Amino acid sequence: MPTITHFTTHDLRFPTSLTGDGTDAMNTSCDYSSAYLCLHTSSPSLSGYGMTFTIGRGNDIVCTTISQLAQKLIGKDTQDLFSNMGATWDFLLSDPQLRWIGPEKGVIHIATGAVDNALWDMYARSVGKPVWKLVCDMSPEEVVKSMAWRYISDALTKEEALDMLKGMQAGKGQREEEVKRVGYPAYVTSAGWLGYSDAKITSLTLDALTKGFTHFKLKVGNNLADDLRRAKLIRSLIDDPVHLTEEERAKVSDPSSPRNPHHPSLSGKNPGPTGCVLMVDANQVWEVPQAIEYVKGLAEVRPWFIEEPTAPDDILGHARIRRELQNIPSNPNRVVPEPFSLAPEGHRDKITISVATGEHAHSRILFKQLLQASAIDVAQIDSCRLAGVSEVLSVLMLCKKFNIPVCPHAGGVGLCEYVIHLSLIDYILISGSMERNVLEYVDHLHEHFEWRCRIKEGPGGGRYIVPTNPMEGYSIKMYESSIKEYEFPGGSYWEGRRRDGTL
Amino acid sequence: MPTITHFTTHDLRFPTSLTGDGTDAMNTSCDYSSAYLCLHTSSPSLSGYGMTFTIGRGNDIVCTTISQLAQKLIGKDTQDLFSNMGATWDFLLSDPQLRWIGPEKGVIHIATGAVDNALWDMYARSVGKPVWKLVCDMSPEEVVKSMAWRYISDALTKEEALDMLKGMQAGKGQREEEVKRVGYPAYVTSAGWLGYSDAKITSLTLDALTKGFTHFKLKVGNNLADDLRRAKLIRSLIDDPVHLTEEERAKVSDPSSPRNPHHPSLSGKNPGPTGCVLMVDANQVWEVPQAIEYVKGLAEVRPWFIEEPTAPDDILGHARIRRELQNIPSNPNRVVPEPFSLAPEGHRDKITISVATGEHAHSRILFKQLLQASAIDVAQIDSCRLAGVSEVLSVLMLCKKFNIPVCPHAGGVGLCEYVIHLSLIDYILISGSMERNVLEYVDHLHEHFEWRCRIKEGPGGGRYIVPTNPMEGYSIKMYESSIKEYEFPGGSYWEGRRRDGTL
């Protein structure tokens, strides 16, 4: 089998800070960036592509770290690596000297994510399947062997994992067919960046409604009055049947449709009368007590969850916030039109706001504890902050055991391309749950990927289309032209900025 | 006042992997390294020195990251920086793009530690005091202003901190005089590395006993039978009065001496009949259930604490380990000579083994939770894994509030030079506790520092001497000759290794 012979890394930066895309209460100026790795083998037809996502400065540091890790793979036989991806993951993590500058967190861990993902991409490509299909076709024993196991056995044993996977074998084929037919449900963040005007929010929200989206996320945390105004604006649009087609209105009245506000997949999501859901995201700006008070002030717009209310490492803080946001007073001035209410008679004045986090949860060890401490309602895994597919599999299995839905983080650059694979694995192989577990979608920078992610539009739309090209691997390969243009600092785009003095 | 004009970084690596120094169950091959920073100002007489510690590969990555952070200081007025060190810390942490590759953990955070420490070094030097003295002479209000505050207000408010500091003002001068007179108690790790033979352990332990040490740490975790043999060997030496001077034997019988096994400072430490204490350190090698079983097997050698039993981020795992190591059966074959026992009649068959961790606890947010979850008995802060003095102050204050002793991590290269300052601040300004809070000491690589740390020897020894040179700052400045020799890869030592083909 081919051996790994050499690799290249690319520090790619896209000038998103110019447009206000991606602005939130913490990240005020992002240049979405990719620390990108191409692994080459002795076979010209077999390569692997991986990346991790950053927001600008520091992307060079991650590239350097990726190089030091990728160097360990030179000369390795790909078949040896692929035959036991769990052992391969352990090998990537095993350098005792590099371990010190983590361990298993920060730069060294997100760099490991790029390398592990490149190996999964190459593995999938070598068997002519997209990554999700490669994993879904594995036997339960192979899946268990592919996972990252260290430090989680107090929460999940290999035997339990095997039993859980075996229990889901029946119906695997049926779920695969189902999701290929209907697509995987997505939610939209693009409308709600802090940097956008009300007019832009309105037009983007209406556009997303037309495309079929039903879940909308708003960035909050700078100013409560401002947040309420923007949230009410979005609610007024998404809750108003006037924006629906006749077909969609029929679905809203159909109890078997996920569009119906009483449908089980909307349970706990505080949907509006048209089955639409609002989420809010604070990107870590608050202290714990401040988060509780602030989010109580948002109750009247009935968000499903508050995302990243405080420091991402604060497990006990999230647990406290979650406890204190259960059955809180719902503001009588709430904008959901009366007499509509989903709450049983006598409980309409109470609401529970869920807690979501994970895009900065740096390892399976953190997720394990978020689950053990009942700190979250929704797990938002990140495809490259975790150290690649092997560690993601561990977190998906932990979430299954604790019965917590996984709604992966996406957006940035490349994350949407990655995460559809992870949600498909979660649905087909692990959780069997799809309509509840919406997947983030942001319409940015997809044009740079050879197998860009695609979204169904129109009624029944707002869903990711299942990637099926046998050569697309993890869908993360970028066009050579994009690499030449956005490589930092020498690419043609950045050279141009230097020439015209705007850098 | 001088402004910061430029800086240099140095990737310094010492070939400790050749000797087996520093080997433990996780770190099997360490080249102790320093990512070293010199900050220069417009005044030739004012510079600042800082570093963070790594164990080899990856030290270059940390140096690059230090450069990106130090760059933010160019042109800053030192007086502005020094007048509010808490705000300065926030500024160092505030780059929204660099934050993403942490946040506040791993490479970016340990690099921030080097920069923050260099600023504290420069500040102390600018007022002609060692760092510990600079901080101890601050008013309570100034100390509160110098701390890192974000994300800890649910556990400690500024008002509480102020009250705690004010409560300790009385007696500050007396404590300073006391510790200058007697030195700060140290414990010794040098004898117990996994890579050492029994003969080497014996001679190093006897040597340390002669120097006055009473607390001894042993690395464990590879093999229980082997660990027990090595632990019994150490216990047989440290518990045997034959190795004590007459003066020391008199102290053992004196209830007012910290050498007496019934002295309050030894409470909970499971001391032997000569007042000596054994600790064990697993350096993160176990799963949670495995840690509990393994450490129960060590009960017969009566360790005070088990250090780093599992993943350093596993707060809930540490809490469970701590719960399950309370009142466990003490093996009847224990080596402590009968009829001696400190336990009350009827309880001699039970022992509690404490839990210590912190050298890899990556921020105040992790320490906050370790304390909130009652997960540790001893907090082992690291002077440069935490992001410098400002964040260390926050953790010292949190530990005071939760009444947990701080026993800083040291060893490696430079850590002993740093931590004596931190323990002095803890004793004089914050906890008022010294005999209970022993400070790690390892006799490695001190010869490279202009103001190397020093230890008192002989009876009443085994204690750090208080650094008092007005120009030593944080005591971390290295000799130019050491930098030239050990700079990697171009220093004379490494060039020599390349020339003689041993690299």
Side-chain angles (χ1 to χ4, degrees), chain A residues 69-289:
Chain A
L69 291 163
Q71 189 61 40
K72 293 162 62 82
L73 295 173
I74 301 298
K76 296 277 176 197
D77 181 279
T78 53
Q79 196 50 47
D80 289 350
L81 296 170
F82 301 158
S83 65
N84 189 335
M85 287 297 279
T88 297
W89 193 87
D90 289 339
F91 170 72
L92 286 174
L93 274 277
S94 68
D95 187 307
Q97 296 189 356
L98 284 175
R99 188 178 184 279
W100 187 272
I101 64 173
E104 304 194 32
K105 59 177 71 69
V107 168
I108 188 81
H109 209 61
I110 67 180
T112 308
V115 181
D116 188 64
N117 283 341
L119 285 173
W120 279 95
D121 177 80
M122 187 192 288
Y123 183 9
R125 218 172 266 273
S126 77
V127 296
K129 294 177 183 178
V131 160
W132 69 266
K133 179 68 173 157
L134 164 68
V135 176
C136 289
D137 286 350
M138 283 178 168
S139 69
E141 289 77 9
E142 283 174 293
V143 176
V144 167
K145 215 166 75 167
S146 300
M147 292 165 57
W149 277 103
R150 191 163 208 185
Y151 295 137
I152 59 172
S153 66
D154 55 320
L156 179 73
T157 65
K158 289 186 183 178
E159 295 68 32
E160 286 174 305
L162 205 55
D163 285 349
M164 281 159 50
L165 288 163
K166 284 182 178 164
M168 295 301 289
Q169 287 292 295
K172 236 174 68 169
Q174 208 175 343
R175 285 192 295 277
E176 183 175 328
E177 288 316 309
E178 169 77 3
V179 67
K180 277 182 177 164
R181 192 172 56 78
V182 302
Y184 195 96
Y187 75 84
V188 67
T189 302
S190 306
W193 300 112
L194 277 187
Y196 286 178
S197 69
D198 287 5
K200 189 161 182 179
I201 289 175
T202 302
S203 78
L204 288 171
T205 302
L206 289 175
D207 182 56
L209 269 175
T210 310
K211 287 182 173 148
F213 286 96
T214 56
H215 290 62
F216 300 80
K217 195 165 81 183
L218 179 71
K219 300 287 181 175
V220 298
N222 266 2
N223 175 294
L224 182 60
D226 195 50
D227 292 341
L228 274 174
R229 192 194 74 255
R230 294 159 62 247
K232 286 179 184 179
L233 171 61
I234 296 186
R235 278 241 86 115
S236 73
L237 302 168
I238 66 178
D239 287 344
D240 191 341
V242 77
H243 300 300
L244 304 187
T245 62
E246 205 160 316
E247 192 186 334
E248 283 171 326
R249 262 178 258 158
K251 280 191 182 161
V252 170
S253 323
D254 173 4
S256 75
S257 163
R259 190 64 195 252
N260 180 280
H262 298 275
H263 190 270
S265 69
L266 291 174
S267 166
K269 289 186 179 178
N270 302 317
T274 64
C276 283
V277 174
L278 179 70
M279 300 95 93
V280 292
D281 182 359
N283 291 87
Q284 319 168 20
V285 290
W286 299 312
E287 299 287 303
V288 171

Side-chain angles (χ1 to χ4, degrees), chain A residues 38 43 110 145 149 170 186 214 268 350 385 423 432 440 445 471:
Chain A
C38 318
S43 160
I110 67 180
K145 215 166 75 167
W149 277 103
T214 56
K350 296 284 185 189
R385 191 168 292 276
S423 282
E440 188 164 20
L445 304 173
M471 286 318 295

Side-chain angles (χ1 to χ4, degrees), chain A residues 151 284 287 314 368-369, chain B residues 151 153 284 287 313-314 368:
Chain A
Y151 295 137
Q284 319 168 20
E287 299 287 303
D314 196 347
K368 176 185 81 170
Q369 293 176 83
Chain B
Y151 295 137
S153 66
Q284 318 169 20
E287 299 288 302
D313 309 343
D314 196 347
K368 176 184 80 169

